[in-house]
Amino acid sequence: MKALVVEGGAMRGIFASGVLDGFMEYDYRPFDLAIGVSAGSSNLIGYLADQPKRSVQVITQIATDKQFFNPARFLRGGDLIDVKWLIEESNRRFPVDTDTLFSGIPMLAAATNIATGKADYYRLNPDNLNKVVEASCALPIAYKSTPCFSGGCYTDGGVADSIPVKEAYRRGAREITVILSHPLSYVMPKTRSPWIMKKLFARYPQVAEAMVKRAENYNASLDFIRNPPEDTTVNVIAPPENFAVKRLTMKQPLLKQGYEMGVEAGREYVTNSHLQPIDLTTALGASAALGA
């Protein structure tokens, strides 16, 4: 079984949006399963719905809006980021082709269960789409709401499982393609002051513990990628070392540059698979319909 895993990383997700648009230029969809985390789940929706440029438009036009990212609101006690507004506004301006989304490759999104501190993996369907994506993207502290559904309450999936390659393996994938948000040289540093996390998340001790262990779990996923089991192949697409987009980058030139890096990486990955590009009039037409 072949799986596609897409990491989150907030605005760093601009790279994955480009990679997936590069895939769509070639109609490259050899996967049996897709798993997204946080921004990675949002990016996967555009890809699996076959809507080129949707994800990059969401990031550059909506995620940079003050209604979504508002430090002044945060200082007054509100949300730094308004995830629910982002989802609703994205759906209003760039409606998802749900028929296509739910008729092809099955997609899972990871969200961190606040009661257990572990990741739950939900398969997206028409009834849970918005709730699951909101939960997967609900950055702790920055987004004060706690999405609840199916008997659980959740925070950002990246807290418990930023790169769910082991979950893909557990579900039977033996060829895994991973789109990362950091260059390959990146290693997540350990939390310097665990007591701060425990104080910030005093109401949710299991989430606090997950935050303390996040670097350990993240680096363990990187180790799995670099040293997969003998029966498994892991293919990695990562930003170059000069990738300048950070978690909260809002500057359009940097976002555009990061997106183009992703597109080129996606094209290169596919052409190494000896595929030929499809007629781009279909993709361009879809982009125009989305307001590109």
Side-chain angles (χ1 to χ4, degrees), residues 2-286:
K2 297 181 179 181
L4 173 64
V5 173
V6 184
E7 184 183 1
M11 303 303 276
R12 283 183 173 274
I14 195 76
F15 178 78
S17 76
V19 173
L20 295 171
D21 277 357
F23 283 7
M24 281 187 275
E25 289 182 5
Y26 293 79
D27 195 24
Y28 183 71
R29 307 171 194 282
F31 308 107
D32 304 297
L33 175 68
I35 309 179
V37 182
S38 195
S41 62
S42 177
N43 281 327
L44 271 176
I45 287 171
Y47 171 64
L48 297 178
D50 195 19
Q51 293 176 268
K53 300 288 183 74
R54 182 184 191 273
S55 295
V56 67
Q57 289 179 113
V58 167
I59 295 171
T60 59
Q61 297 181 29
I62 302 178
T64 57
D65 192 291
K66 288 185 178 179
Q67 183 62 36
F68 173 67
F69 176 69
N70 193 322
R73 180 178 61 204
F74 184 64
L75 292 174
R76 295 193 301 268
D79 293 319
L80 177 63
I81 58 171
D82 189 340
V83 177
K84 187 174 183 180
W85 177 86
L86 178 76
I87 294 170
E88 292 175 348
E89 187 68 6
S90 299
N91 291 338
R92 185 184 71 82
R93 293 174 58 180
F94 311 118
V96 178
D97 181 350
T98 52
D99 289 341
T100 301
L101 174 62
F102 297 120
S103 64
I105 302 167
M107 175 185 163
L108 304 176
T112 301
N113 190 309
I114 64 172
T116 66
K118 306 295 184 182
D120 290 344
Y121 306 89
Y122 281 96
R123 179 170 177 174
L124 270 62
N125 61 55
D127 295 324
N128 70 12
L129 174 60
N130 289 350
K131 274 293 185 184
V132 171
V133 174
E134 181 188 5
S136 188
C137 297
L139 283 173
I141 302 175
Y143 185 56
K144 298 184 183 300
S145 300
T146 304
C148 297
F149 58 94
S150 297
C153 295
Y154 295 92
T155 190
D156 191 287
V159 172
D161 193 359
S162 295
I163 317 172
V165 286
K166 292 182 181 179
E167 181 65 17
Y169 181 82
R170 189 185 73 80
R171 290 175 181 262
R174 294 299 178 264
E175 182 177 338
I176 305 170
T177 297
V178 185
I179 305 176
L180 298 176
S181 298
H182 289 277
L184 278 173
S185 61
Y186 179 75
V187 175
M188 183 175 285
K190 292 182 179 180
T191 302
R192 293 183 178 180
S193 303
W195 66 270
I196 293 179
M197 291 298 172
K198 292 178 180 179
K199 184 173 182 179
L200 287 172
F201 297 99
R203 291 179 58 196
Y204 308 115
Q206 297 304 321
V207 173
E209 188 66 19
M211 290 292 288
V212 170
K213 292 183 176 179
R214 185 171 180 238
E216 178 184 338
N217 292 334
Y218 187 96
N219 295 330
S221 294
L222 290 178
D223 185 62
F224 181 97
I225 289 169
R226 294 166 182 147
N227 303 284
E230 291 185 1
D231 63 346
T232 302
T233 299
V234 178
N235 307 305
V236 182
I237 307 173
E241 293 296 327
N242 64 337
F243 188 64
V245 180
K246 307 302 181 185
R247 179 172 290 273
L248 295 177
T249 293
M250 296 290 157
K251 294 181 179 180
Q252 292 292 339
L254 287 180
L255 293 173
K256 182 179 180 181
Q257 180 188 59
Y259 171 73
E260 293 298 337
M261 287 178 172
V263 171
E264 288 304 313
R267 288 170 178 165
E268 181 179 357
Y269 183 83
V270 176
T271 54
N272 285 341
S273 300
H274 309 293
L275 295 183
Q276 296 298 316
I278 62 172
D279 183 350
L280 292 183
T281 55
T282 301
L284 292 173

